[in-house]
Amino acid sequence: RNSEGPEDLRRRLTNALGELDACAEFDYVVVNDQFERALQTLEAIFHAERHAVARAQDLADGVRVIKDGIRTILDEELKL
């Protein structure tokens, strides 16, 4: 970037090393080397997360109710 001094650059590069060490723990990685591409990636992540099953508590609650209903039916059939 040529916009920061040597200490700022050292801090940024040190942070980058730590982030790279931990990248397997991340759900997503966005490389900000081209602004438009990084923005498109962030928008795609945002839209995906809005529809992710793991994040949809209402869906999880609905599935639990359906599963409980199926188990009840199966239990009643076994008693016949």
Side-chain angles (χ1 to χ4, degrees), residues 5 22 26 33 39 41 48 50 65 69 73-74:
F26 300 158
D33 59 346
L39 180 60
T41 301
R50 290 187 70 198
V65 169
I73 292 169
L74 289 172

Side-chain angles (χ1 to χ4, degrees), residues 27-49:
D27 290 330
Y28 303 97
V29 175
V30 178
V31 178
N32 191 12
D33 59 346
Q34 293 181 356
F35 177 77
E36 288 299 321
R37 182 172 58 184
L39 180 60
Q40 289 173 351
T41 301
L42 287 172
E43 289 172 342
I45 291 168
F46 173 78
H47 291 297
E49 284 298 303

Side-chain angles (χ1 to χ4, degrees), residues 60-80:
D61 291 342
V63 167
R64 184 179 34 76
V65 169
I66 292 169
K67 288 172 66 177
D68 288 346
I70 292 171
R71 287 187 186 107
T72 300
I73 292 169
L74 289 172
D75 288 345
E76 288 174 2
E77 285 184 9
L78 293 175
K79 291 178 184 176
L80 293 176

Side-chain angles (χ1 to χ4, degrees), residues 9-20:
L9 180 58
R10 177 178 296 280
R11 179 186 48 79
R12 288 171 45 92
L13 291 173
T14 300
N15 287 344
L17 286 174
E19 290 171 356
L20 289 169

